[in-house]
Amino acid sequence: MIEPGATIGIIGGGQLGRMLSIAAARLGYKTHIYDPHEASCADDVAAYRTRAAFESVEAIRRFGESVDVATYEFENLPSQALQALGEKLRPGVRSLEIAQDRATEKQFIEQCQARVAPWRAVSSLEDVEAAVAELGLPLVLKTRRYGYDGKGQAWIRSEDEIGSGWKAIGEEPAVAERGVAFAAEFSVILARWADGRHAFWHSPENAHVEGILRRSTVPCSHVVGPQVGDARKAALRIAETLGHVGVLTVEFFASREGPVVNEIAPRVHNSGHWTIEGAVTSQFEQHIRAICDLPPGSTELSARGAVMNNLIGPDIESWVQLVADPSLHVHIYGKGEARPDRKMGHTTRVTRA
Ligand code: ADP
Ligand code: MG
């Protein structure tokens, strides 16, 4: 067990690192943020920081020596450099390697006997043409690496869009994936301990606009509810096969044929932000508990439900009205410039009565 007073290293200094840090502090831990940027929004709430490139094996090694356990808050990290952290890294490098390449990820999910949308790996215009012929339309191209919030994606809805779609994703190695006519989207968020103990939160139903999460609602609707059981089984098989320690999120489409896995995130997730006020133990605290091997906290709802709304780009300008609304918990990430697609904060309304 890693006891309070110890230092937890967090690779990545975005809002997830910030909220992990706050949760760690509540339990008496110090955190050390590793991030290449001049200033990161997690720095403001952490005891220590290292500013260095993610690729720097030497800097990662030194960081590893200065912390008692290390974790990461996003996926686009060079796994080779992270090897320098050895056993101190939780979750391990395997969870990261699988999740950071969409082709590897889909293969892995299929090996875990979970369903994904029909897909092909593509690396040329001819491959995309063949994928359209085999999978049908509409389909979506997604770069294998570095995509997030709908970036690195292009929809192909007719044959005329094959060339422009391939260009739009920068002619990068990609997956071509059939469009799923889903009734709703939802996620399974779980935490797993090294000895196999695990806990699920209630599954949020998630609404995306242009590939970015806008809203998560708990409890989910009757459209999603009947699919959560199968989805949890699939998510747990994925976590166990990875030997995952910490929080793992699996995004699903609720389709007529049952749950279809969209993607996995080996970390706390935007669709779990509602757990800060809406659950007895938040995803952030539970991740700290799991990687430090403390006992699991309760994942029960703290009220009837919760609705989390993201504040994206200019949404943050209405912060004055939002903080004046007594029914909202307001989270402002302290990120500075409100670029159009940037996640600047979120609000959670906990539903009582
Ligand atoms: P990101 O890593 O950017 O979150 P996702 O693969 O989760 O990428 O895609 C973002 C969103 O785009 C999804 O939540 C969903 O709304 C939509 N989307 C992605 N793939 C498909 C698909 N095959 N069929 C239908 N919608 C999709
Ligand atoms: Mg996603």
Side-chain angles (χ1 to χ4, degrees), residues 81-271:
L82 264 53
Q83 306 276 11
L85 295 169
E87 292 292 301
K88 274 192 183 169
L89 186 67
R90 299 180 194 167
V93 170
R94 183 160 158 73
S95 294
L96 187 72
E97 284 175 335
I98 297 290
Q100 68 186 192
D101 179 316
R102 291 192 193 270
T104 315
E105 178 183 35
K106 285 181 193 299
Q107 259 161 13
F108 179 81
I109 294 165
E110 287 174 327
Q111 279 163 17
C112 294
Q113 263 78 57
R115 194 171 346 153
V116 293
W119 67 283
R120 296 281 183 279
V122 294
S123 50
S124 67
L125 183 59
E126 293 70 42
D127 288 350
V128 181
E129 283 164 351
V132 169
E134 290 167 27
L135 302 172
L137 293 171
L139 64 71
V140 56
L141 295 177
K142 302 180 181 176
T143 55
R144 286 177 66 153
R145 288 175 174 268
Y146 307 121
Y148 69 99
D149 288 347
K151 292 185 179 62
Q153 299 191 13
W155 279 86
I156 300 180
R157 296 173 200 282
S158 70
E159 297 205 350
D160 324 336
E161 292 178 350
I162 294 176
S164 56
W166 176 236
K167 271 222 178 70
I169 61 155
E171 308 187 352
E172 297 267 334
V175 296
E177 176 184 322
R178 189 188 289 161
V180 177
F182 56 78
E185 291 188 81
F186 68 102
S187 44
V188 170
I189 311 168
L190 66 86
R192 185 176 179 274
W193 273 250
D195 65 5
R197 277 175 298 171
H198 58 270
F200 297 99
W201 282 268
H202 284 251
S203 268
E205 186 159 333
N206 304 322
H208 295 82
V209 178
E210 284 163 10
I212 306 185
L213 183 70
R214 292 305 312 202
R215 173 178 296 190
S216 292
T217 306
V218 173
C220 56
S221 71
H222 63 280
V223 173
V224 167
Q227 304 206 3
V228 170
D230 282 350
R232 282 185 171 183
K233 283 185 201 145
L236 187 58
R237 280 198 301 276
I238 290 168
E240 281 172 350
T241 312
L242 289 170
H244 191 86
V245 176
V247 171
L248 174 80
T249 306
V250 184
E251 293 180 29
F252 286 90
F253 301 120
S255 82
R256 216 185 305 188
E257 290 77 40
V260 175
V261 176
N262 174 25
E263 61 171 352
I264 66 180
R267 53 167 171 80
V268 290
H269 193 259
N270 195 170
S271 67

